Amino acid sequence: MPPIPPNNAVDSVLRLMLANEVSLLDLTKTIVSTPQQNYQPIKDSFQQHAAEICCLLFLSTGCCEVVFGWAFEVVVRVFCDGMVDLSSDCNGLHFKASKTTSMQLEDSFICTLALKIKKITPNIFKMLLALLDANPGQRREFLAADIE
């Protein structure tokens, strides 16, 4: 039996979902959580295209604010967890900011801080560089030595 053309197959799946009152959320939860090996190619495809799916949702009418709000909350949560890791005693960056002098910060702390941020929380490091370089009129090229 020849395979069904993709458009017809998708239409068939959508019709079955409607007829059986299966939401996309139900379908997604099942795909992501199923232990059944026969669904693994679908799960792999879903994971492989996750960024594209989020992008499509972000660009679709009515979803932009919801997707952005969700993504922002996730980023904030990840960055807060990273900051907790950075400020833990075991990383050597925990200090009393109210009693720190500018000379102490200028000596080696800033360099140590930058290196530890890059090592422990590389996404925070990228965000800080992007924010520090946000003004296109003041933009400069960072040398490899600046960020390594």
Side-chain angles (χ1 to χ4, degrees):
M1 177 187 272
I4 300 171
N7 286 345
N8 292 349
V10 169
D11 187 56
S12 296
V13 169
L14 293 175
R15 286 176 193 265
L16 283 170
M17 287 177 67
L18 287 170
N20 292 293
E21 298 180 0
V22 174
S23 72
L24 280 174
L25 180 59
D26 295 333
L27 182 65
T28 303
K29 284 180 179 179
T30 301
I31 291 169
V32 170
S33 65
T34 187
Q36 295 182 21
Q37 287 300 315
N38 55 329
Y39 294 147
Q40 192 62 41
I42 297 169
K43 188 175 187 176
D44 292 345
S45 175
F46 191 77
Q47 291 171 342
Q48 179 184 357
H49 298 289
E52 292 173 72
I53 293 166
C54 289
C55 187
L56 285 170
L57 287 171
F58 180 74
L59 295 174
S60 69
T61 306
C63 289
C64 179
E65 288 183 24
V66 173
V67 173
F68 179 79
W70 166 80
F72 191 77
E73 286 178 22
V74 170
V75 168
V76 167
R77 193 172 336 127
V78 169
F79 283 176
C80 285
D81 290 347
M83 291 306 292
V84 168
D85 287 346
L86 276 171
S87 63
S88 69
D89 288 337
C90 68
N91 286 316
L93 296 177
H94 187 77
F95 66 99
K96 296 210 182 285
S98 62
K99 297 185 187 224
T100 303
T101 67
S102 60
M103 184 62 86
Q104 289 170 318
L105 289 176
E106 289 172 9
D107 284 344
S108 65
F109 180 76
I110 296 297
C111 184
T112 302
L113 176 65
L115 292 172
K116 289 206 177 197
I117 289 173
K118 185 176 180 195
K119 179 181 177 189
I120 298 168
T121 56
N123 288 325
I124 291 178
F125 187 79
K126 289 177 195 173
M127 182 197 63
L128 289 172
L129 283 181
L131 291 173
L132 291 170
D133 199 32
N135 184 344
Q138 301 289 320
R139 191 159 287 151
R140 75 176 185 92
E141 293 294 318
F142 286 98
L143 302 172
D146 292 340
I147 56 176
E148 289 183 10

